[in-house]
Amino acid sequence: MTRKIRLGAFLPGGGQHIAAWRHPDQPADGATSFEFHRRLAETAERGLFDAYFLADGLAVGFAGAREGGNAKVAGFEPVTLFSALAPLTKHLGFIATSSTTYEEPYTTARKFASLDLISGGRAGWNVVTTTGDATAQNFNRDTQPPHAERYRRAHEHVEVVKALWDSFEDDAFLRDKDSGVYYDRERLHEADHKGVHFKVKGPLNVPRSPQGHPVVVQAGQSADGRAFAAAHAEVIFTAHQHIETAREFYADIKSRAEGLGRNPDHVLIMPGISPFVGRTEEEAREKYDRLTDLILEEDGIGLLNGLTGGTLDLTGYDLDGPLPPAPPTEGLKSRQVLIRQIADENNFTIRQLYRWVASARGHYTVVGSAVQVADTLQEWFETGAADGFNILPPWLPTALDDFVDLVIPELQRRGLFRTAYEGRTLRENLGLPYPVNRWTAARAASEAAE
Amino acid sequence: MTRKIRLGAFLPGGGQHIAAWRHPDQPADGATSFEFHRRLAETAERGLFDAYFLADGLAVGFAGAREGGNAKVAGFEPVTLFSALAPLTKHLGFIATSSTTYEEPYTTARKFASLDLISGGRAGWNVVTTTGDATAQNFNRDTQPPHAERYRRAHEHVEVVKALWDSFEDDAFLRDKDSGVYYDRERLHEADHKGVHFKVKGPLNVPRSPQGHPVVVQAGQSADGRAFAAAHAEVIFTAHQHIETAREFYADIKSRAEGLGRNPDHVLIMPGISPFVGRTEEEAREKYDRLTDLILEEDGIGLLNGLTGGTLDLTGYDLDGPLPPAPPTEGLKSRQVLIRQIADENNFTIRQLYRWVASARGHYTVVGSAVQVADTLQEWFETGAADGFNILPPWLPTALDDFVDLVIPELQRRGLFRTAYEGRTLRENLGLPYPVNRWTAARAASEAAE
């Protein structure tokens, strides 16, 4: 089978771009409207996307935002939202973000297994460690745990969750009404985990779900993040401004995964792409300007401050002049360094910088006709920079509609994208293998050795 | 308006009765089938029930059960399940159980607010403290916290959740595209809670939901449980074998609530009822015997052991003889005492006892024609024992169908039950008031004082 592009749809109801909610096409209450999310899911499924992807936070994000201007101040909890969308769709996967720092593995394992059961095998878990003191303060702490500690906890959290997902072997349920045997006790196992951060006995009280394990997704780009991704992730969401850094990242992750004994084809790398698509390049540029002109100055400044973790206070600077000198970069996150690189490389004024990052927030922005956008995706896909893409429409629903109606057919014409869903589950559509239950595997190995 | 009976439907997909899954009508995989739960929700809505109610546990319940015989070993997580059922229904409420001991208030507030948003105002939270060391061992502990500590934590947990549900005032969202004001910062508030068990700053990142607060439900019957119910619960699920104890409980809770300054009409008491309904009494008795005959001896013994918290080991006793002498009752839970009372009052043999409690597990069992069942409900409703009932069909779906097709019309003929949903939300259907946001109330009070 020819290798195909995988596509995720990153569709926060309020839109991705900072001014999206002010766009005439975007319902102002999109972030909190269930019907609007239903419309988005149906469109993504019409476009044969692999999955609907949602980020998540566990606090109101005030950092740097103009008071009252942030349309992302409130919305749905993603696992409940996706559970509600699952029966209204047939094929679309649902990748929800959930935190390893502020949740317990038993709860994580349970909610994703339940979503997988409800959706008939279409659940994915985007593993995040969750940054910020504001979140810590909603969970009995004053400050967040240090970066390295969060990642150690994340590793252990994922290990426990996977063990819990193996509680029941695939053939554990007999449900024999005559004999009264509902399940085979020999096929039900405790995780019996005793670690540094967690002590979890198990078993999980949700049956083995259709995918065995919901698909594990991850997005970290720091050294800790790459190590984590190589060890655990089956899909990696990543942000690049240049095809060269994307290729470097791609090669690095595939090689790290192989070094850990994993098949690199089962680690899918999907950079984020923010597409402005027109029937012509000129129309696409008009769409870009139309949205970008909606950014209020105060929001642009706040955005840059927020994206750099509060390290870039621009109060009092001329917006049409250059950025102030960089502070020491030590301790900065990869995203914070990236924002400054964009300014340096393009020789951007402050205003030009916020106009550029307002859409993609560090991801790659393409502005062009369907052919031009498809050219970009094809180049990234065929030259070792991507296995697929997370599409971040700048506003909704029409930027998503544009992608589905204009770019998808172009990719299909080139034989780069499916014309119908191939599989029954998200895992099957992504071409990822079914994870054999560890207890079943151990028994098979022990029987083979006899 | 005439006072009407409120009805909850207690519908675990595997059936309530210990042998339910072996009943010819019950799908053997009902506990883990989403389509079956959908069928149950649709039937409950056809029957104009106020709400679908689900219990929940955070561990596999092995206690006392025959190995491999427990059909409740695995199922859905209730909040994800109800989120999925919400868009498939229009009026039915959804009351999901969630633990105050093993979850964090920010997470609790968020998932129920999200369910309320998804369902257009049909969410309820059944507050439980969760018993058992098996659960503790899934959450980093060896043993469960003591009873009194669990209840103190529950009080504080509920207080924090309610404060978080008040984060946004009702009119907080302006969403004015022209000015760029999405919300009024003066109408968004921090909980700023610093207590014994929790420190939670807030605000919640979910908007004020359609009900303001999802309906708070509770089921404890101990002294701690009654105090908690009187302070917080708007619906109370309770178990009684006699109308006299139900009346005592009803009067006690209403008086406690009034003593705390609450309107007793806004505390709805709903005992559990396990109905075997036939077109005639004889047919109902046949249904009772048909199901009861499916109980395997070992399951019956295990059930009694489980219901008494492992205090009643019957191994080696003659099943057609009396129960062994009672151990000291000190430290026993109300449910454990109740089981023994049933045996004593009815002079039951061991076999007779497990046959009787297998269906209702301590709740009231009625076996009869629709007229007889309606007579019982009417008597309880009109003589100070109940504001409504949680109906626990012993097996599914036909025992639910029987209730909907035979008993509901009889209650309607008597003017005791609705003929159409009155309201838009669960709260409106139950006749419960909309909770005024504390910040809005404080501002109104302060303005009135000026």
Side-chain angles (χ1 to χ4, degrees):
Chain A
M1 206 186 74
T2 332
R3 182 167 162 262
K4 302 278 186 198
I5 288 178
R6 314 296 176 185
L7 289 182
F10 194 91
L11 308 172
Q16 169 71 5
H17 191 284
I18 194 171
W21 75 275
R22 299 183 64 211
H23 192 284
D25 293 353
Q26 174 102 26
D29 68 346
T32 58
S33 159
F34 179 70
E35 277 310 310
F36 187 59
H37 284 84
R38 177 183 184 149
R39 152 83 161 88
L40 298 175
E42 287 168 353
T43 306
E45 186 161 88
R46 180 165 68 79
L48 305 175
F49 276 85
D50 289 277
Y52 188 158
F53 190 118
L54 277 178
D56 193 43
L58 297 168
V60 167
F62 284 117
R66 176 174 55 88
E67 291 211 334
N70 178 11
K72 296 182 197 303
V73 69
F76 294 91
E77 185 282 323
V79 178
T80 45
L81 176 62
F82 281 159
S83 297
L85 293 173
L88 307 176
T89 49
K90 281 209 168 79
H91 304 284
L92 187 66
F94 292 103
I95 300 173
T97 297
S98 184
S99 173
T100 51
T101 303
Y102 300 106
E103 297 226 28
E104 290 293 325
Y106 200 85
T107 312
T108 306
R110 223 176 152 225
K111 69 183 182 182
F112 282 98
S114 193
L115 175 59
D116 206 42
L117 203 57
I118 288 165
S119 62
R122 296 184 280 139
W125 171 28
N126 179 40
V127 181
V128 294
T129 66
T130 312
T131 57
D133 292 342
T135 304
Q137 288 157 15
N138 289 334
F139 291 86
N140 311 314
R141 300 180 59 109
D142 294 320
T143 55
Q144 63 176 336
H147 190 258
E149 185 189 321
R150 289 205 312 274
Y151 268 95
R152 283 195 297 270
R153 186 179 151 111
H155 271 283
E156 191 179 332
H157 192 126
V158 172
E159 290 297 352
V160 178
V161 166
K162 287 182 179 172
L164 289 169
W165 284 338
D166 282 350
S167 295
F168 290 93
E169 294 185 57
D170 294 2
D171 56 355
F173 292 96
L174 306 173
R175 301 191 179 100
D176 180 17
K177 287 191 178 191
D178 288 339
S179 67
V181 178
Y182 186 77
Y183 68 98
D184 180 353
R185 184 64 186 84
E186 302 287 310
R187 297 288 192 268
L188 172 58
H189 306 275
E190 290 174 354
D192 212 13
H193 175 86
K194 292 188 181 90
V196 176
H197 297 88
F198 303 109
K199 197 164 64 172
V200 181
K201 192 168 178 202
L204 192 67
N205 60 356
V206 181
R208 179 90 165 162
S209 72
Q211 293 187 109
H213 295 180
V215 175
V216 175
V217 182
Q218 201 260 359
Q221 309 213 81
S222 63
D224 284 337
R226 289 184 185 212
F228 184 91
H232 297 293
E234 301 175 278
V235 172
I236 297 166
F237 184 28
T238 177
H240 297 282
Q241 285 291 313
H242 303 286
I243 193 168
E244 294 78 16
T245 64
R247 285 188 193 126
E248 180 278 320
F249 180 83
Y250 186 99
D252 180 48
I253 295 287
K254 296 272 180 173
S255 136
R256 286 176 189 242
E258 202 161 9
L260 294 169
R262 298 182 65 196
N263 180 339
D265 293 342
H266 299 158
V267 183
L268 303 173
I269 315 248
M270 296 172 63
I273 298 281
S274 174
F276 291 81
V277 188
R279 278 160 302 173
T280 63
E281 183 180 343
E282 191 191 354
E283 191 184 76
R285 299 225 158 265
E286 283 166 10
K287 289 182 181 182
Y288 178 81
D289 288 337
R290 185 185 195 189
L291 180 60
T292 306
D293 289 346
L294 292 172
I295 306 172
L296 298 174
E297 286 185 356
E298 208 185 331
D299 286 342
I301 295 170
L303 173 70
L304 293 180
N305 195 25
L307 283 174
T308 56
T311 62
L312 194 58
D313 182 358
L314 297 167
T315 320
Y317 282 88
D318 176 9
L319 296 188
D320 296 311
L323 261 69
T329 56
E330 198 173 334
L332 286 190
K333 306 286 180 323
S334 47
R335 181 66 58 93
Q336 300 166 12
V337 175
L338 184 63
I339 296 297
R340 183 163 286 275
Q341 276 175 355
I342 295 171
D344 292 348
E345 289 169 7
N346 296 282
N347 207 19
F348 275 158
T349 64
I350 294 173
R351 191 188 307 279
Q352 286 167 330
L353 180 62
Y354 76 62
R355 284 174 66 95
W356 182 251
V357 300
S359 169
R361 300 180 189 223
H363 292 281
Y364 194 78
T365 301
V366 282
V367 184
S369 67
V371 168
Q372 290 171 314
V373 173
D375 285 348
T376 301
L377 301 187
Q378 183 165 8
E379 186 189 5
W380 285 53
F381 179 63
E382 291 183 343
T383 64
D387 296 310
F389 304 91
N390 259 306
I391 303 303
L392 303 89
W395 76 95
L396 294 166
T398 38
L400 172 65
D401 297 344
D402 288 345
F403 192 89
V404 167
D405 295 330
L406 302 173
V407 180
I408 294 282
E410 180 61 28
L411 294 174
Q412 289 170 328
R413 261 192 296 280
R414 300 181 188 194
L416 294 168
F417 190 63
R418 65 166 64 90
T419 52
Y421 285 101
E422 304 87 2
R424 200 179 42 93
T425 66
L426 172 59
R427 196 168 272 288
E428 288 171 7
N429 284 322
L430 289 171
L432 295 170
Y434 181 87
V436 176
N437 185 295
R438 68 190 62 196
W439 302 96
T440 312
R443 185 180 311 102
S446 132
E447 283 170 8
E450 273 168 17
Chain B
M1 206 185 75
T2 331
R3 183 168 163 260
K4 301 278 186 197
I5 287 178
R6 315 296 177 186
L7 289 182
F10 194 91
L11 308 172
Q16 170 70 5
H17 190 283
I18 194 171
W21 75 275
R22 300 183 65 211
H23 192 283
D25 292 353
Q26 174 103 24
D29 68 348
T32 59
S33 160
F34 178 70
E35 277 310 310
F36 188 58
H37 285 83
R38 177 184 185 146
R39 152 82 159 90
L40 298 175
E42 287 168 352
T43 306
E45 186 160 88
R46 180 166 67 78
L48 305 176
F49 275 85
D50 288 276
Y52 188 158
F53 190 118
L54 277 177
D56 191 43
L58 297 168
V60 166
F62 285 117
R66 175 173 57 88
E67 292 210 334
N70 178 10
K72 297 182 198 300
V73 70
F76 294 91
E77 185 281 323
V79 177
T80 46
L81 176 62
F82 280 157
S83 297
L85 293 173
L88 308 176
T89 49
K90 281 211 170 78
H91 304 283
L92 188 64
F94 293 103
I95 299 172
T97 297
S98 185
S99 172
T100 50
T101 302
Y102 300 106
E103 298 226 28
E104 290 292 325
Y106 200 85
T107 312
T108 306
R110 225 176 150 225
K111 68 183 182 182
F112 282 98
S114 195
L115 175 60
D116 206 43
L117 205 56
I118 288 165
S119 62
R122 296 184 279 139
W125 170 27
N126 180 40
V127 182
V128 294
T129 66
T130 312
T131 58
D133 292 341
T135 304
Q137 288 158 14
N138 288 334
F139 292 86
N140 311 313
R141 300 179 59 108
D142 295 320
T143 55
Q144 64 175 335
H147 186 79
E149 186 189 321
R150 289 205 313 275
Y151 269 95
R152 282 194 299 269
R153 186 179 151 110
H155 271 283
E156 193 180 332
H157 193 127
V158 172
E159 290 296 350
V160 178
V161 166
K162 287 183 180 173
L164 290 170
W165 284 339
D166 282 351
S167 294
F168 291 93
E169 295 185 57
D170 294 1
D171 55 356
F173 291 97
L174 305 173
R175 302 191 178 102
D176 180 19
K177 287 190 178 191
D178 289 338
S179 66
V181 177
Y182 187 77
Y183 67 98
D184 179 353
R185 183 64 186 83
E186 302 287 311
R187 297 287 193 269
L188 172 58
H189 306 274
E190 290 174 352
D192 211 14
H193 175 88
K194 293 188 182 89
V196 176
H197 297 88
F198 303 108
K199 197 164 63 171
V200 181
K201 190 168 180 202
L204 191 68
N205 60 356
V206 181
R208 179 90 166 163
S209 71
Q211 294 188 108
H213 296 180
V215 175
V216 175
V217 183
Q218 201 259 0
Q221 309 213 80
S222 63
D224 284 336
R226 289 183 185 212
F228 184 92
H232 297 293
E234 300 174 277
V235 173
I236 296 166
F237 185 28
T238 177
H240 297 281
Q241 286 290 313
H242 302 286
I243 194 168
E244 293 79 16
T245 65
R247 283 187 194 130
E248 179 278 320
F249 180 83
Y250 187 99
D252 180 48
I253 295 287
K254 298 271 179 173
S255 136
R256 284 175 189 243
E258 202 161 9
L260 294 169
R262 299 182 65 198
N263 180 339
D265 292 343
H266 300 158
V267 183
L268 303 173
I269 315 249
M270 296 172 61
I273 297 281
S274 174
F276 291 82
V277 188
R279 279 160 302 176
T280 61
E281 182 179 344
E282 191 190 355
E283 191 185 77
R285 299 224 157 266
E286 283 165 11
K287 289 181 181 183
Y288 178 81
D289 288 336
R290 186 185 193 190
L291 180 60
T292 306
D293 288 347
L294 292 172
I295 306 170
L296 298 174
E297 286 185 356
E298 210 185 329
D299 287 342
I301 294 170
L303 172 70
L304 293 181
N305 195 24
L307 283 174
T308 56
T311 62
L312 194 59
D313 182 358
L314 296 168
T315 320
Y317 282 88
D318 177 7
L319 297 188
D320 296 309
L323 261 71
T329 55
E330 200 174 334
L332 285 191
K333 306 285 180 324
S334 46
R335 181 67 57 93
Q336 299 167 12
V337 173
L338 185 62
I339 296 298
R340 182 163 286 275
Q341 276 175 354
I342 295 171
D344 293 348
E345 288 171 5
N346 296 283
N347 208 17
F348 275 157
T349 65
I350 293 172
R351 190 187 308 278
Q352 286 168 329
L353 179 62
Y354 76 61
R355 284 173 66 96
W356 183 249
V357 301
S359 169
R361 300 180 189 222
H363 291 281
Y364 194 78
T365 301
V366 281
V367 185
S369 66
V371 168
Q372 290 172 314
V373 173
D375 284 348
T376 300
L377 301 187
Q378 182 165 8
E379 186 189 5
W380 285 54
F381 178 64
E382 292 183 341
T383 63
D387 295 311
F389 304 91
N390 259 305
I391 304 302
L392 302 90
W395 77 96
L396 294 166
T398 37
L400 173 64
D401 298 344
D402 288 344
F403 192 88
V404 167
D405 295 330
L406 302 173
V407 180
I408 294 281
E410 180 60 28
L411 294 174
Q412 289 170 328
R413 259 192 297 279
R414 300 181 187 193
L416 293 169
F417 191 63
R418 67 166 61 91
T419 52
Y421 285 102
E422 303 87 3
R424 198 180 45 92
T425 66
L426 172 59
R427 196 169 271 289
E428 286 171 6
N429 284 321
L430 289 171
L432 294 170
Y434 181 86
V436 176
N437 185 295
R438 68 190 63 194
W439 302 96
T440 313
R443 186 180 311 102
S446 133
E447 282 169 9
E450 275 168 14

